[in-house]
Amino acid sequence: SFGNVDNPGGTSANSLPLTVTTQSRAFKNPEAWNWNFTVERQVFWKSVLTVGYVGRRGLHLQREANINQPTTTIAAANTGVNLDAIRPYAGYNSIRETDNVASSMYNSLQISWNRRFTNGIHLGGAYTLAKSMDDGSGPRDIIPDTYDAHNLWGPSDYDNRHTLIANFLYELPVFRNRSNLAGKLLGGWQVSGIAQFQSGTPSSVAVGNDYAGVGQDGSISNGGQFWVMSGTPSIVGNMAHNGSSDAAYWFKTTNSSGAPIFTAPQTGTFNLQNGVRNSIYNPGFNNWNLGLFKKFSITERTGLEFRAQAYNAFNHPNWNGADFNPTHASTFGKVTGKSNDVRNLQVSLRLYF
């Protein structure tokens, strides 16, 4: 369609050879196996303590591969030849095939403590120590090397090792007697809050350059081919407040002798090294939300409720993720910005009936 002798493909939308998205004929249904063991006990101060182990195994999970990717051996033997001439399926470009071949494993320790609302106060908290591992975290993840995916097993893209949530509700101890006018007008004020603290998610050092010479179709974790890692890129934990000119790093990019920890894979090869996917964790997150409430009863079933709420009450800045692109010489390994989360105040008056 829309083609001519000089340009058989016509417009870019109809260009040849065709790029196809398809689905494997051997498409197994995903499976999830869950198990847990929980102990719960009433403890001091009218509270309940719960401690549990929670596990989950995922099988036949979705990810994608370019089944029309030439091997590195064939590409090396045909240097300078158009890749479309040496692909397994002639006449086609990339053929992205969805397969249910990935798997995952989740293990966690979950602890919670809650004091029921008594004498004007409620307190609660929950902590989770978790580890989520897989070899494909998203249904549209494309593996770098169609013919070898053994090195993809690692932390999930959404792996949060530590998560702590705390909450409270406190009724102010003034004018608690609702039987008189002063108590109805001035009493009944409640203060509430929720605080969240969690560690960061992992990322990989990978770029979109086609080092293997087989075509760049995007890939799992950051959309590129993994760089070779020598040693352990330990977390320094600093933010480059002054941008790229700041020497503060979130994670180390060189070892003690000054040699780079990450190097590009050799031309014509993939980095099939284990442990490179999602090997570095980004900064964490914390947030406080506070609220002030009061009900003004008109009848037993009708009244007004005043609500004043503050989201990110302390206007605490949370850092952005680090720069994991090793070709960015001035910012690689640095955190140079923060999120746009700002304090948000909201006041409302609600009529209930």
Side-chain angles (χ1 to χ4, degrees):
S1 299
F2 311 109
N4 54 50
V5 174
D6 296 323
N7 181 19
T11 62
S12 59
N14 298 278
S15 58
L16 295 173
L18 296 175
T19 297
V20 177
T21 300
T22 185
Q23 182 171 297
S24 172
R25 296 178 64 184
F27 196 78
K28 297 182 179 179
N29 288 325
E31 295 180 14
W33 298 80
N34 302 275
W35 57 90
N36 68 83
F37 178 79
T38 304
V39 176
E40 186 174 87
R41 180 175 176 80
Q42 183 170 319
V43 292
F44 60 91
W45 208 28
K46 299 178 181 179
S47 63
V48 175
L49 177 67
T50 303
V51 180
Y53 161 73
V54 178
R56 183 184 187 277
R57 174 69 167 160
L59 299 174
H60 313 311
L61 306 180
Q62 183 175 330
R63 71 182 185 201
E64 295 187 0
N66 175 19
I67 62 171
N68 209 23
Q69 181 187 84
T71 65
T72 54
T73 302
I74 292 177
N78 294 274
T79 304
V81 176
N82 189 307
L83 288 177
D84 292 328
I86 58 174
R87 294 186 183 274
Y89 300 96
Y92 294 91
N93 197 298
S94 172
I95 301 179
R96 289 174 51 175
E97 181 178 270
T98 296
D99 291 283
N100 277 12
V101 293
S103 60
S104 66
M105 175 64 76
Y106 173 83
N107 293 284
S108 69
L109 170 67
Q110 300 183 10
I111 303 172
S112 66
W113 176 82
N114 286 282
R115 181 186 190 271
R116 66 177 180 268
F117 187 76
T118 306
N119 297 327
I121 187 170
H122 158 78
L123 292 172
Y127 169 73
T128 300
L129 172 63
K131 184 178 182 180
S132 180
M133 305 284 286
D134 62 38
D135 52 6
S137 296
R140 307 297 301 194
D141 284 347
I142 308 173
I143 64 176
D145 185 358
T146 299
Y147 308 100
D148 194 341
H150 80 272
N151 65 326
L152 298 182
W153 183 260
S156 303
D157 294 353
Y158 42 80
D159 179 42
N160 289 109
R161 294 295 169 91
H162 304 277
T163 302
L164 174 64
I165 307 291
N167 65 85
F168 72 90
L169 176 64
Y170 179 57
E171 186 176 47
L172 298 182
V174 293
F175 300 103
R176 284 187 174 178
N177 185 0
R178 304 291 195 281
S179 61
N180 54 48
L181 182 61
K184 292 180 179 179
L185 294 178
L186 303 177
W189 288 95
Q190 294 182 331
V191 179
S192 68
I194 298 176
Q196 177 181 357
F197 308 88
Q198 66 184 49
S199 55
T201 54
S203 288
S204 311
V205 174
V207 295
N209 296 352
D210 183 20
Y211 299 104
V214 296
Q216 181 58 37
D217 302 293
S219 78
I220 209 165
S221 295
N222 290 13
Q225 297 177 7
F226 300 120
W227 275 40
V228 177
M229 183 171 67
S230 302
T232 302
S234 58
I235 301 294
V236 179
N238 295 324
M239 178 180 179
H241 296 279
N242 298 318
S244 59
S245 61
D246 200 320
Y249 286 82
W250 175 253
F251 64 89
K252 287 186 176 181
T253 60
T254 58
N255 57 29
S256 57
S257 63
I261 294 177
F262 295 94
T263 55
Q266 293 184 359
T267 301
T269 66
F270 286 101
N271 174 24
L272 298 179
Q273 177 185 15
N274 288 315
V276 292
R277 175 176 172 255
N278 287 345
S279 57
I280 307 171
Y281 282 80
N282 280 298
F285 170 87
N286 77 70
N287 182 66
W288 285 81
N289 297 331
L290 299 176
L292 177 65
F293 309 91
K294 176 174 170 48
K295 287 185 178 180
F296 298 90
S297 297
I298 300 174
T299 67
E300 286 189 11
R301 303 177 60 184
T302 306
L304 296 173
E305 183 183 47
F306 170 79
R307 305 169 68 94
Q309 296 165 291
Y311 301 96
N312 190 10
F314 303 120
N315 206 28
H316 180 275
N318 289 293
W319 296 351
N320 286 335
D323 186 348
F324 287 87
N325 190 329
T327 64
H328 297 166
S330 61
T331 57
F332 177 50
K334 297 179 181 179
V335 174
T336 57
K338 63 182 181 66
S339 67
N340 292 322
D341 294 333
V342 296
R343 182 191 294 118
N344 188 315
L345 303 178
Q346 178 176 294
V347 179
S348 63
L349 188 64
R350 185 171 71 96
L351 171 67
Y352 65 89
F353 55 92

